[in-house]
Amino acid sequence: MDRSSLRPPLRPLVGVTACLKENGRGGWHHTVGDKYVRAAIQAVAALPVLIPAVGPEFGEDAAAMTEALDRLLDSLDGVLLTGSPSNVEPYHYGGEQSRQGTAHDPARDATTLPLIRHALDRGVPLFAICRGLQEVNVALGGTLHQLVHEVEGRRDHRSPKSSDIDVNYGPAHDIEIVEGGLLHRLLGERRVQVNSLHAQGVDRLAPRARLEAVAEDGQVEAFSVPDAPGFALALQWHPEHRALENPVSKKLFDAFAAACRSRAASRLVPPMRAAAE
């Protein structure tokens, strides 16, 4: 018997982006919400790898940053861009200065924006959630509304701020899915219900992005990047919450997982064998 056939499949390595936050004691923490780690483990069947917010360490040395990102991405089978309470700093997209008290994370911006461009160009599967969607849009030349609820005609997309997490992440509104797009192919539906926990949102969609879904008020809820060599999908809502219990979330994570497994398999083919084939 070939005992190798009895081994469980190797878990793909999925990079999970982190935020940099003060710990209240004069220090800083690179943090990732447990729900994203659990989604990577349970819904993607992956081994999550923390990507710390280290962009500022490279300063203006673009070559060093490029080398570091390329080495990192060579070792990963996918990238999961997480949500966060912080806003992308508006100077990255030519926006007006934020209001006083707005949460920002410049270290994360300096890490994720170049990471996104490199991951897309190298065909590394990319799944972006909430702030992650906003980062992808900015990284590719799009712009953002800092306060969607103050835009004429838009609803309040912020969460209820309940002490019950299931209330905060509960269904909030329908989205209309673009016919024939990636999201439509993955879900097989034109309308689904999603949660909503964001103040910032897409204003002008990036040139490389393809619209995949909008809310009933016209706010962008999903887009893909068709010219990327690999899987690339960005969602404004939070599918990671109870991902295995939600049929829509499960289909989306299944698609990302399949792309990650495919990359893992191609990375593990010995170079000489690959050349022979």
Side-chain angles (χ1 to χ4, degrees):
M1 178 184 294
D2 182 2
R3 293 187 177 275
S4 65
S5 64
L6 301 178
R7 297 173 188 162
L10 289 175
R11 288 179 176 266
L13 297 177
V14 170
V16 182
T17 53
C19 301
L20 185 62
K21 296 181 179 180
E22 291 187 79
N23 64 11
R25 299 186 299 277
W28 296 80
H29 285 168
H30 293 271
T31 65
V32 173
D34 181 61
K35 59 196 175 122
Y36 299 106
V37 173
R38 287 182 178 274
I41 295 171
Q42 297 174 357
V44 186
L47 178 63
V49 178
L50 174 70
I51 301 178
V54 295
E57 297 299 320
F58 294 91
E60 299 298 320
D61 192 343
M65 183 68 165
T66 293
E67 180 184 10
L69 290 175
D70 287 346
R71 289 186 62 195
L72 172 65
L73 291 169
D74 281 345
S75 68
L76 294 178
D77 303 307
V79 172
L80 179 63
L81 293 167
T82 62
S84 172
S86 66
N87 277 13
V88 177
E89 287 197 295
Y91 81 84
H92 288 293
Y93 54 89
E96 296 181 359
Q97 185 175 350
S98 300
R99 290 182 186 173
Q100 187 173 0
T102 300
H104 290 127
D105 190 342
R108 172 166 169 155
D109 292 345
T111 306
T112 56
L113 298 182
L115 173 70
I116 288 163
R117 291 187 284 265
H118 280 258
L120 290 173
D121 291 344
R122 294 170 70 86
V124 180
L126 185 76
F127 194 26
I129 294 172
C130 198
R131 190 195 208 267
L133 169 142
Q134 297 155 14
E135 290 169 335
V136 177
N137 194 51
V138 170
L140 299 183
T143 64
L144 303 175
H145 294 302
Q146 296 184 47
L147 298 167
V148 171
H149 57 282
E150 294 187 1
V151 177
E152 185 176 357
R154 300 291 162 89
R155 60 174 290 157
D156 191 340
H157 286 261
R158 294 173 296 179
S159 71
K161 303 296 188 293
S162 169
S163 59
D164 186 337
I165 191 171
D166 287 327
V167 172
N168 291 329
Y169 286 83
H173 61 76
D174 286 352
I175 61 170
E176 183 179 345
I177 297 171
V178 176
E179 185 173 5
L182 173 61
L183 197 59
H184 185 213
R185 295 196 300 273
L186 294 177
L187 300 180
E189 300 181 62
R190 290 291 313 282
R191 184 175 289 269
V192 298
Q193 198 170 49
V194 300
N195 53 32
S196 186
L197 297 94
H198 64 103
Q200 188 173 239
V202 171
D203 176 10
R204 187 183 72 250
L205 199 61
R208 290 178 63 186
R210 169 178 169 155
L211 182 67
E212 296 285 345
V214 295
E216 294 169 318
D217 62 358
Q219 185 60 41
V220 173
E221 287 285 338
F223 64 81
S224 60
V225 186
D227 66 356
F231 178 92
L233 182 63
L235 309 177
Q236 184 56 77
W237 71 93
H238 285 264
E240 79 284 355
H241 177 68
R242 300 190 181 279
L244 296 179
E245 300 173 26
N246 184 305
V248 169
S249 298
K250 190 172 185 310
K251 287 180 181 179
L252 298 174
F253 276 107
D254 282 350
F256 178 55
C260 293
R261 288 194 300 270
S262 177
R263 177 171 169 84
S266 67
R267 286 201 311 113
L268 293 174
V269 174
M272 290 186 65
R273 177 183 165 190
E277 295 175 349

